[in-house]
Amino acid sequence: MVSRIEDYGLLGDLHTAALVDRNGSIDWLCLPRFDAPACFAALLGDERHGFWRLGPAAGGVASRRRYRGDSLVLESEWDTPDGTVRVVDCMPPRGEAADVVRVVEGVTGRVPVHMALRLRFDYGRIVPWVRHFEGQLSAVAGPDAAWLRTPVPLRGEDFATYADFEVAAGQRVPFVLTYRPSHEPTPRWVDATHAVAATEGLWSRWMDRFRYTGRWQDAVRRSLVTLKALTYAPTGGIVAAATTSLPEQWDGPRNWDYRFCWLRDATFTLQALLDTGFVAEAKAWREWLLRAVAGDPADLQIMYGIDGSRRLTELTLDWLPGHGGAAPVRVGNAASGQFQLDVWGETLDGLHLARQAGLAPDEDAWDLQRALLHYLEGHWSDPDNGLWEVRSARQHFVHSKVMAWAGMDRAVQAVERSGLDGPVRRWRAVRDRIHRDVCEHGYDPDRATFTQYYGSKGLDAALLLIPRYGFLPWHDPRVVGTVEAVRRELCVDGFMLRYRPQSDGNVDGLPGTEGAFVSCSFWLADALFGIGREREAHGLFERLLGLRNDLGLMAEEYDPATGRQLGNTPQAFSHVGLVNSARHLSTAAPALTTSDAAPAVHP
């Protein structure tokens, strides 16, 4: 029986992440970092492709589970006829190697416990050479090596490792799985008890910087922990999700690799971090952004690797059947080679926000922005693939043009407000020309709404962002009409689709459909609040909170028909949307535009 996407909890060490099922099985883990091949890939196949299950011998899903405070220390408890047993899972702060720590604790009675481990490197394809010695296991295959240490006896069977034992009330039995490249020395062992305490302490200290006084404290805190968990600490890059190829449609082909960093997320991510007190993380994200986009402005990509790498070649892993049979399974992302005009605006807007917040402006950063502006001046009128990475003919997408306007507008503000050097008259003229072009060609007066692209009959949830970027004020009739039209035509059971794939003759060039997009639904809540419908905005926000799983995690999409989560998980953009909407809806005034939303901070 295939586990649901919402059945999974998250572990992480700020280098990579693991997904733990309700039944105590780790079904996804890429080592040593987010975008590395998985050694547990049952999430996209079955037990043959790698997993690590630990729980009562009787099996079944946990009776309850929770995180300890604001940490990523996960506790799962099972009530059985023999008593209650708890499994404590975590990934401690990265030392010389990557560790996954699991501790079985007896709560009541005396419970039989079963452990099953099947390591399969390279996304479930490679069976390692395994040896058992001195109470431990070692597994080696090519560049990868792993060790399992535990005080209970292990046995090998059917190319897997098993252990059976009993735990009484008050007893603790540790398991530590350690990964290191095979050419490096065997790592020092980690003490499980100390590792759990260190993990809990790390997250507790991090959350001490939290600053938000609104009514949705618990939801915002958990979303920020999730966002931090998706951060690759060595570079500051934030992956869009911890997984690849979780389907956006049941049994459908819309399965993509999200273990990369998207430029479209830059501004909203910076807002979420800055406005809740996490200035160091915002600085690290800005620095990653500057390194990633450095070079010829014509070569700007929509996404980059976690280290800023550009070549994200898309491959299909034919030996994996996909989650619930939804094939294909992809690694890499061909959309990285698309031309998306909006990313120039997203980058310039994100760096403007950082500048407004006082995040260490420097001449090199401004020189880079001027180079981006020079390219944007000459290409804002080009058609592109749009925010949603359509794989059909390029169009003049309204959102892309609005973001081109935003990039030029932030340049004008940089000169007029921040005293930076630049041809402000020329930039102002280009900005105004883009504005006129969008209002003339991207607005349908008969329907009183902006459209997905020039001449389109379809709509796009990204149109809700027009006032967020300051292109038009919230009270403008064209904004109000657009919010109403988008809500009327793109909502399913109150939740937002990104667009209708079948509109305008299959606008995205892909077969199938998809679920409601969680972040777009938060945009709708913000838009309703912005046009003065505060009660409806709060009602939608509360419904969106109900889409989270029992651990506060959200995937990319939601299927209203089945009540199931869809797409890669946990999704950074969904959690950023939650944080920013909570912040907006906690104010007494409509949501601010990104050009004036960030207060100065002085770390």
Side-chain angles (χ1 to χ4, degrees):
M1 183 175 180
V2 178
S3 295
R4 303 171 302 176
I5 292 171
E6 59 267 28
D7 287 336
Y8 287 95
L10 177 72
L11 309 176
D13 65 355
L14 307 183
H15 288 247
T16 190
L19 294 187
V20 189
D21 194 357
R22 291 178 186 268
N23 65 8
S25 179
I26 297 179
D27 289 344
W28 183 254
L29 175 61
C30 300
L31 289 170
R33 60 187 220 175
F34 290 105
D35 56 355
C39 63
F40 300 138
L43 178 72
L44 300 177
D46 53 41
E47 292 184 351
R48 295 172 299 164
H49 302 108
F51 72 99
W52 184 15
R53 183 176 299 118
L54 186 58
V61 300
S63 306
R64 57 197 158 271
R65 59 181 182 168
R66 67 180 182 91
Y67 286 114
R68 288 186 182 176
D70 293 315
S71 77
L72 279 184
V73 177
L74 177 63
E75 294 184 344
S76 305
E77 291 186 354
W78 287 261
D79 296 329
T80 78
D82 299 297
T84 298
V85 63
R86 178 188 302 129
V87 175
V88 179
D89 291 325
C90 73
M91 294 186 71
R94 184 70 67 96
E96 65 178 11
D99 299 290
V100 181
V101 174
R102 314 192 76 179
V103 181
V104 181
E105 298 180 346
V107 180
T108 65
R110 188 174 186 87
V111 181
V113 176
H114 178 69
M115 186 222 70
L117 171 70
R118 181 172 281 119
L119 280 163
R120 293 293 183 267
F121 295 117
D122 194 24
Y123 300 103
R125 188 180 187 184
I126 297 178
V127 180
W129 183 264
V130 175
R131 292 187 302 141
H132 295 264
F133 64 98
E134 298 179 358
Q136 62 180 310
L137 168 151
S138 72
V140 178
D144 303 302
W147 296 261
L148 177 67
R149 189 184 189 191
T150 179
V152 302
L154 302 172
R155 71 179 190 278
E157 183 180 324
D158 297 329
F159 299 99
T161 299
Y162 300 95
D164 289 284
F165 58 98
E166 292 185 346
V167 61
Q171 289 184 327
R172 290 180 172 83
V173 179
F175 292 80
V176 178
L177 181 70
T178 302
Y179 171 92
R180 202 174 195 184
S182 59
H183 66 277
E184 296 184 5
T186 301
R188 288 171 291 184
W189 296 117
V190 168
D191 179 84
T193 301
H194 292 162
V196 172
T199 306
E200 195 170 1
L202 177 147
W203 289 101
S204 177
R205 290 189 299 274
W206 182 75
M207 190 51 76
D208 285 344
R209 290 180 277 160
F210 178 71
R211 187 183 71 230
Y212 166 74
T213 57
R215 57 187 280 194
W216 296 289
Q217 290 270 330
D218 291 343
V220 171
R221 294 172 80 96
R222 179 48 54 184
S223 284
L224 286 165
V225 167
T226 304
L227 189 60
K228 175 69 171 177
L230 295 173
T231 302
Y232 183 58
T235 66
I238 301 173
V239 296
T243 58
T244 178
S245 300
L246 289 179
E248 298 173 10
Q249 174 192 7
W250 302 120
D251 300 325
R254 294 171 180 256
N255 315 318
W256 316 108
D257 194 346
Y258 274 25
R259 297 170 299 158
F260 307 116
C261 307
W262 265 255
L263 296 190
R264 73 172 186 200
D265 302 353
T267 300
F268 290 154
T269 300
L270 282 168
Q271 279 186 328
L273 293 170
L274 287 169
D275 292 338
T276 51
F278 296 101
V279 178
E281 285 70 21
K283 280 184 174 180
W285 176 232
R286 172 188 178 273
E287 294 304 314
W288 175 90
L289 181 64
L290 286 170
R291 292 192 303 271
V293 305
D296 188 341
D299 295 331
L300 195 66
Q301 295 187 179
I302 69 168
M303 70 183 85
Y304 295 85
I306 54 178
D307 55 3
S309 55
R310 294 171 179 249
R311 187 171 290 114
L312 309 178
T313 305
E314 184 173 296
L315 303 172
T316 298
L317 307 185
D318 295 331
W319 63 88
L320 287 173
H323 182 79
V329 171
R330 296 181 174 95
V331 296
N333 200 310
S336 61
Q338 289 185 347
F339 173 60
Q340 292 185 21
L341 182 66
D342 63 289
V343 298
W344 277 264
E346 296 283 4
T347 302
L348 291 163
D349 187 49
L351 294 174
H352 169 82
L353 181 66
R355 182 167 54 248
Q356 293 295 100
L359 294 186
D362 57 69
E363 291 184 5
D364 289 342
W366 179 238
D367 288 342
L368 173 61
Q369 290 169 75
R370 289 194 59 168
L372 294 173
L373 287 159
H374 179 74
Y375 182 86
L376 187 59
E377 281 187 80
H379 294 273
W380 70 264
S381 59
D382 295 348
D384 74 317
N385 295 100
L387 171 71
W388 304 126
E389 302 163 16
V390 303
R391 299 195 175 196
S392 58
R394 293 178 178 177
Q395 303 288 350
H396 292 281
F397 286 97
V398 169
H399 174 75
S400 297
K401 305 301 186 193
V402 169
M403 291 313 304
W405 174 90
M408 302 308 300
D409 177 73
R410 304 322 185 242
V412 171
Q413 291 191 47
V415 175
E416 294 180 344
R417 296 186 183 184
S418 301
L420 296 176
D421 180 56
V424 68
R425 285 188 178 181
R426 192 176 80 227
W427 289 343
R428 191 184 299 115
V430 174
R431 179 193 65 179
D432 295 345
R433 188 158 63 249
I434 298 172
H435 197 282
R436 289 192 300 271
D437 191 74
V438 172
C439 292
E440 179 180 352
H441 300 291
Y443 182 76
D444 184 345
D446 294 333
R447 292 191 293 160
T449 181
F450 285 93
T451 59
Q452 184 171 25
Y453 58 83
Y454 290 2
S456 169
K457 296 299 182 184
L459 299 181
D460 183 341
L463 299 172
L464 298 171
L465 302 177
I466 286 174
R468 285 281 294 273
Y469 287 105
F471 186 85
L472 288 173
W474 287 103
H475 57 76
D476 190 291
R478 291 167 293 183
V479 168
V480 176
T482 298
V483 173
E484 292 174 341
V486 168
R487 188 185 192 189
R488 182 175 59 252
E489 296 189 24
L490 296 185
C491 269
V492 177
D493 193 27
F495 301 114
M496 289 294 303
L497 302 175
R498 294 188 296 178
Y499 52 88
R500 296 279 182 183
Q502 67 274 22
S503 66
D504 296 305
N506 190 221
V507 63
D508 62 12
L510 295 168
T513 60
E514 60 182 22
F517 210 73
V518 175
S519 62
C520 294
S521 300
F522 283 115
W523 296 349
L524 177 59
D526 293 337
L528 291 171
F529 187 72
I531 64 174
R533 299 182 183 177
E534 291 91 344
R535 187 172 181 178
E536 294 173 64
H538 282 83
L540 175 56
F541 185 80
E542 292 289 350
R543 288 193 68 199
L544 286 165
L545 293 183
L547 304 187
R548 299 172 299 155
N549 74 358
D550 58 314
L551 296 173
L553 301 177
M554 291 184 294
E556 179 184 36
E557 297 183 8
Y558 173 74
D559 181 8
T562 62
R564 299 270 302 274
Q565 292 190 13
L566 288 170
N568 286 305
T569 194
Q571 176 81 4
F573 215 29
S574 298
H575 287 278
V576 165
L578 186 155
V579 173
N580 285 333
S581 289
R583 181 173 54 85
H584 293 157
L585 271 58
S586 296
T587 64
L592 298 170
T593 66
T594 62
S595 62
D596 58 9
V601 293
H602 303 285

